[in-house]
Amino acid sequence: MGSVTHSLSGRIVLGIESSCDETAVALVRADRTVLAERIASQEAEHAPYGGVVPEIAARAHAQRLAPMIEATFADAGLALDDVDAIAATAGPGLIGGVMVGLVSGKALAMAADKPLIAVNHLEGHALSPRLADPTLQFPYLLLLVSGGHCQILAVEGVGRYRRLATTIDDALGEAFDKTAKILGLGYPGGPAVEKLALEGDGTGVPLPRPLKGSKEPHFSFAGLKSAVLRAKENQDGYSDADIAASFQQAAIDCLVDRLERAVSLSDPFPALVVAGGVAANRSVRDALEGFANGRDMRFVAPPLALCTDNAAMIGWAGCEHLAAKPDFAGDPLDLKARPRWPLDPEAEAARGAGVKA
Ligand code: KG4
Ligand code: ZN
């Protein structure tokens, strides 16, 4: 396997992301410079179906990835030989898409004799705040809120993630997307619900706060989604904007309550970090900032473009791997894509997990 050629801070990693509905490529240098970055959203392809269609996603990744890699190198004025490693998302995610990105990463690694770094997509999100903020040190408390996940993690170092809580049914982004669907706002739903909520009354519609006050700090959003559906069906005296605002407020109350619980069960953390697509939500950010400020914790939220899926976070995770493991020669090229890949393999299943309302 080819060796790393640049000095520590000059190392360059090609990042490839294809686990859901964004095809993304980035060239990231270990001194936290994103040298070039391309991202192609598949929103238009999936919008008619109201959600991501796995086969359409895989085909779109396959069509776009190779020309995007070429264009990203051209943007940066670099060639494949200039990179020290190739980092590709190897899971979790939609298997067809993950395979497209991983196979491309393997082919480039083999052709250029460079190490392949198989990155867990969730690790990309978990470490992305350190790309934007050089002062953010381990450990930190991470709220990871995306379309597929809702977890509280203790991030103790590169490769050292302890899951403190997870959702027993839906992810928060999924709940935003379903609320958007119920309200006829289309896909992707999160930003549309946030926008509509600005015009509504967050106390206008009584909605539940599932698991609020429960002993384990886990989340549940399926019941909230069902309540949104009932609120829409029985709509009386309140607007869609009130439903959106009340849903968002209920979700935020749950996040804060569950974080309070998690914090009460562990040693203090110097910082609270939020990552994942839902971290793009202004009201969510504001509430989390208030939570952290009240507890002497620093609050760190990456810039919006780093919150939703992107390849800079995958390239950066690759840089973190190289820095943390000086003798790392690369992951094996016969490594398989993993549709499921928990960040904390030791974490027990949450009680009630898998129960969907
Ligand atoms: O991290 P991400 O881009 O993809 C996954 O790994 O899942 O997260 C996408 C999720 C979607 O469910 C989307 O609706 C949600 O993040 N999202 C938002 C906002 N922007 C994206 N949810 C609430 N408010 C937003 N502004
Ligand atoms: Zn993601």
Side-chain angles (χ1 to χ4, degrees):
M1 191 65 59
S3 59
V4 168
T5 51
H6 292 105
S7 67
L8 200 62
S9 65
R11 287 178 185 166
I12 298 170
V13 175
L14 171 69
I16 299 172
E17 160 58 34
S18 60
S19 66
C20 192
D21 59 344
E22 325 279 354
T23 315
V25 180
L27 283 159
V28 182
R29 201 165 55 202
D31 65 357
R32 293 184 163 78
T33 311
V34 179
L35 300 168
E37 175 170 29
R38 292 231 170 191
I39 181 155
S41 163
Q42 300 172 6
E43 256 173 62
E45 280 101 324
H46 299 294
Y49 306 95
V52 180
V53 182
E55 292 76 12
I56 294 177
R59 199 177 325 129
H61 288 305
Q63 281 164 350
R64 287 176 188 164
L65 192 54
M68 281 176 69
I69 291 172
E70 218 168 287
T72 307
F73 274 110
D75 291 346
L78 293 174
L80 183 56
D81 243 6
D82 296 320
V83 304
D84 295 281
I86 290 135
T89 298
L94 300 173
I95 187 72
V98 175
M99 281 169 68
V100 170
L102 184 59
V103 165
S104 305
K106 286 177 181 178
L108 293 172
M110 194 184 284
D113 195 22
K114 304 280 181 184
L116 170 79
I117 306 174
V119 174
N120 183 314
H121 177 83
L122 302 177
E123 181 178 44
H125 280 301
L127 297 175
S128 67
R130 281 168 51 85
L131 169 59
D133 186 339
T135 67
L136 179 62
Q137 305 284 335
F138 301 119
Y140 50 85
L141 187 68
L142 174 74
L143 175 68
L144 178 57
V145 272
S146 70
H149 299 272
C150 186
Q151 303 189 350
I152 302 174
L153 292 148
V155 180
E156 292 166 346
V158 178
R160 292 171 50 211
Y161 313 104
R162 206 155 40 81
R163 199 196 73 192
L164 306 178
T166 188
T167 176
I168 64 165
D169 42 52
D170 293 354
L172 183 52
E174 202 179 341
F176 266 94
D177 293 336
K178 285 177 178 163
T179 296
K181 209 166 181 175
I182 292 165
L183 297 179
L185 300 176
Y187 161 88
V193 171
E194 177 176 20
K195 191 156 167 258
L196 185 61
L198 289 173
E199 298 160 26
D201 173 4
T203 61
V205 185
L207 292 174
R209 271 73 175 150
L211 293 187
K212 187 169 179 194
S214 70
K215 203 162 131 253
E216 306 268 359
H218 296 310
F219 300 95
S220 166
F221 293 108
L224 177 56
K225 167 199 69 189
S226 306
V228 166
L229 182 61
R230 283 193 300 275
K232 176 64 187 165
E233 283 169 355
N234 307 327
Q235 197 157 8
D236 179 21
Y238 49 80
S239 64
D240 280 3
D242 294 334
I243 299 177
S246 300
F247 159 77
Q248 188 170 274
Q249 191 53 53
I252 288 171
D253 288 351
C254 291
L255 289 181
V256 169
D257 178 74
R258 308 293 56 219
L259 275 170
E260 253 163 24
R261 188 72 199 143
V263 163
S264 76
L265 294 174
S266 32
D267 290 336
F269 289 89
L272 171 67
V273 176
V274 63
V278 184
N281 185 294
R282 187 78 257 165
S283 305
V284 168
R285 282 178 179 239
D286 289 348
L288 297 176
E289 185 162 20
F291 171 86
N293 288 344
R295 277 160 195 80
D296 258 356
M297 293 167 90
R298 247 185 92 197
F299 177 65
V300 179
L304 297 192
L306 259 187
C307 289
T308 45
D309 287 349
N310 65 88
M313 70 181 190
I314 304 303
W316 171 250
C319 292
E320 293 258 38
H321 277 246
L322 290 181
K325 297 180 273 186
D327 299 329
F328 181 64
D331 284 309
L333 291 182
D334 61 355
L335 176 133
K336 298 242 181 326
R338 298 176 64 174
R340 290 178 188 280
W341 185 3
L343 258 191
D344 177 1
E346 312 273 293
E348 287 172 24
R351 229 171 318 130
V355 181
K356 291 228 177 199

